[in-house]
Each structure stands twice: as structure tokens, then as C-alpha cells.
Amino acid sequence: MAGVPVDMIAIDPEGPGGPEVLVPVQRPVPVPKDGEVLVKVAAAGVNRPDVLQRLGLYPMPPGAPSIPGLEIAGEIVALGSGTGRLQIGQQVCALVAGGGYAQYCTVPEGQCLPVPEGLTLIEAASLPETYFTVWSNLFERGYGAPGETALIHGGTSGIGVTAILLCKAFGLTSIVTCGSAEKCAAALALGADHAIDYKAQDFVAEVAAITGGRGVNLVLDMVGGDYLARNVKCLGESGRHVSIAFQRGQTGELDLGAVMRKGLILTGSMLRPRSIEYKSLLADSLAADVWPLFAGGGLKAVVDRVFPLEAAADAHRYLESGEHVGKVVLEIAHGQADAA
Ligand SMILES: NC(=O)c1ccc[n+]([C@@H]2O[C@H](COP(=O)([O-])OP(=O)(O)OC[C@H]3O[C@@H](n4cnc5c(N)ncnc54)[C@H](OP(=O)(O)O)[C@@H]3O)[C@@H](O)[C@H]2O)c1
């Protein structure tokens, strides 16, 4: 691969542990396989699933790289066989099944998206994981439609801010829950229609008051556990409950009477183990219907803090502190490995 070094700097922990396992090491630059491109990574997003992976609590899909990182932005520097849509020198952002915390990363061509107009590579790197997740769950699984109301937990999380912006862009009313008054204010400033401080208020009563007792059309849930029963109380007629995580527990109590009376649908999904074909279709749909909205200001990247790759441990500590609003991103320099 002309102009591409043999080795690179990456974060590739030897085993599970605290943030301190995230130290820079030298690794071979990956070679793109059939249908893949090689990206010289400028920035990589940090997501909660990276923390779970670091702790050894994430079921890794077979064949996924041990290097963490689910989203990147950078420049294409090599093409594998069977590619043809993209060219060397193009800037892209991409959803990856792992390998993002590194100077170079391979990615199936179909999972690349253009860098949205007006966005930096750091901002672009903050998008794929949450946009693929929220787009598919809010609209494809949850059947969210203009004029409907969605209850979104974790309003200031990476997922939450994306959900707020997508609801606003596509005509849904959003009600979010957050863990403090400050986070509620931040969510409202980003465009949430209502924000509930779940530590100070009962979100079930608040949702009933906001919706005049009708309930919401859908819940995007990352909490699980005892929230399941409470979410079901918040859902109105023909409501949809979409699970994307279970931070308070994998099991919960379900009132089947409510499911039957209200005609509820309960569903959920996990993005990472899905096929390249599925993710490529999602990328096409995002490119057609969502990416153009960045140019007009209808959508924006919400980057809270940027850390150098070498400080990935600090980035994880910061994410785990829960202080962030939106995304944490790693910026990746190239002096060292290129000189090697
Ligand atoms: N299924 C999928 O395909 C998929 C894809 C991506 C992410 N996810 C999941 O989605 C979640 C959000 O990811 P992220 O990267 O956006 O994470 P993040 O920015 O770290 O946010 C986590 C959020 O969870 C909230 N939270 C934590 N514990 C809570 C509790 N006990 N009760 C209520 N809220 C709680 C926090 O809200 P407060 O600080 O306000 O309490 C915070 O906003 C993660 O659980 C992640 O694993 C799933």
C-alpha cells in the first residue's frame, strides 16, 4: 500500500480492566479485505459500548478487532478488491465493528458516509454510532412519525442528543429524562420539547401531565430494569417500546394487561453484530434522508470534549463521570507512526 506505514499507534488493551488498560501500543496497519477500504483516521468517537468492552462486559461479534472504537472519520488511503464507489483521497466518516482507536482502520465500503457539509473531521467522527442506532430504532423499529411524541431516556447522552435532534428534524415532540436540572437545561437548549429531572420528579406522572393523559407514541429506552414497567405506563394507544440498552438490568416486570389493552409493541436491537449488508443499507438511508440536513443547520454535531488518542484512558474516565453532554471524541495525530 503506497505511502502507508507498516505499523501504527493504537489502543489495544491486553485484557479487561479500568481506564488504565487503554495505553498506546504499536500494531500492524490492517490490510483492507475484499469490499473494504483503509482509512487514515483523524478522529474516533467514544461511546458507552466502548466502556462495556473495556470492562469485558460486551459480547464481541465474531471477527471484530480487539482495538476498541465504533466510529471514525478520516481519509481513504487504500482500497481493497471489490470496491469501486469510493476513491483514495476522499474524506469519509464510517461505522466500524471495532478498530477505531487507531491511526488506521479498515471498514466495509458500504459503511462509509461522506463528511457532512460544514463539519470538521472531529465532528463527523462523532456521528455514525448514534445516528445509525437512533435512525434505525426510532424510525424503522419504532415507526416514529411526524406529529408523534417520543420519550427518550438519557437525554444528554450521545444517543440522547442525536434522538433530540432527529425528533426535531422529523417533526416529533421529544420528552427526555436526565439526571440533573443542569442536564435538563442542556437538553432543552439542544431542542428537546420537554425535559424531566428523573432524580427529582416521577417521570411517569410528568409524562401523563405533558401528554394530557394520552401517553407517548414511543419510548427509546437505554435503562431497562424497573423502567420497563414505568415506560409501559407512559405509552399510549398502539405505543412502541424500543430497547437499546439495559443499564438498570436486563429483566423487568411487564404488565401484559397493558400490552393487550393498549396494543403495544415491544422491540429492540443491537447494531454492532448486524451484517455489513444491513449497515450498508442504513448508511444509504442516512446519506439520502439525514446527511443533507446538516448543510442547512437542521442537524449538528454535539461534541462535548476532545482528547488525544494517547489520553483514551482520560476520555473513558470523563465519559464514565457522566458529566458530558453529547459526544466525547479522540483526535488522532500521525507524526509518530508515519515516521516509523
Ligand atoms: N443497541 C445498540 O445498538 C446501541 C448502540 C449504541 C449505544 N447503545 C447504548 O445506549 C446507551 C447510551 O450510549 P451513549 O454512548 O450515548 O452513552 P453515554 O453518553 O455514556 O450516556 C449514558 C446515559 O445513560 C444515562 N443513565 C445511566 N444510568 C442510568 C440510570 N440508572 N437511570 C437512568 N439513566 C441512566 C445517563 O443519564 P444521566 O447522567 O442523566 O443519569 C447518560 O445520559 C448505552 O447504554 C449504550 O450501551 C446501544
Side-chain angles (χ1 to χ4, degrees), residues 192-218:
D193 294 290
H194 305 273
I196 303 165
D197 176 355
Y198 71 83
K199 290 184 178 159
Q201 295 166 291
D202 171 17
F203 75 80
V204 178
E206 293 301 315
V207 166
I210 291 166
T211 61
R214 286 184 305 281
V216 295
N217 302 99
L218 69 96

Side-chain angles (χ1 to χ4, degrees), residues 47-49 52 129 133 154 156-159 178-179 183 198 222-223 227 244-245 247-248 269-271 319 322 324:
N47 293 281
R48 181 67 46 166
L52 299 177
E129 175 68 9
T133 301
T156 53
S157 64
I159 291 282
C178 308
K183 287 187 175 185
Y198 71 83
M222 60 172 76
V223 183
Y227 268 38
I244 58 164
Q247 298 183 84
R248 280 165 88 123
S269 74
M270 197 183 241
L271 178 64
L319 194 82
H324 61 290

Side-chain angles (χ1 to χ4, degrees), residues 135-206:
W135 182 243
S136 58
N137 284 291
L138 209 51
F139 298 106
E140 295 182 356
R141 288 208 164 260
Y143 302 109
E148 291 197 328
T149 301
L151 172 63
I152 295 146
H153 294 301
T156 53
S157 64
I159 291 282
V161 301
T162 299
I164 290 171
L165 295 172
L166 283 175
C167 280
K168 201 165 185 59
F170 288 88
L172 281 81
T173 298
S174 58
I175 305 174
V176 302
T177 67
C178 308
S180 69
E182 292 73 25
K183 287 187 175 185
C184 284
L188 290 169
L190 283 166
D193 294 290
H194 305 273
I196 303 165
D197 176 355
Y198 71 83
K199 290 184 178 159
Q201 295 166 291
D202 171 17
F203 75 80
V204 178
E206 293 301 315

Side-chain angles (χ1 to χ4, degrees), residues 34-45:
D34 194 26
E36 291 182 342
V37 300
L38 179 69
V39 175
K40 182 177 179 180
V41 184

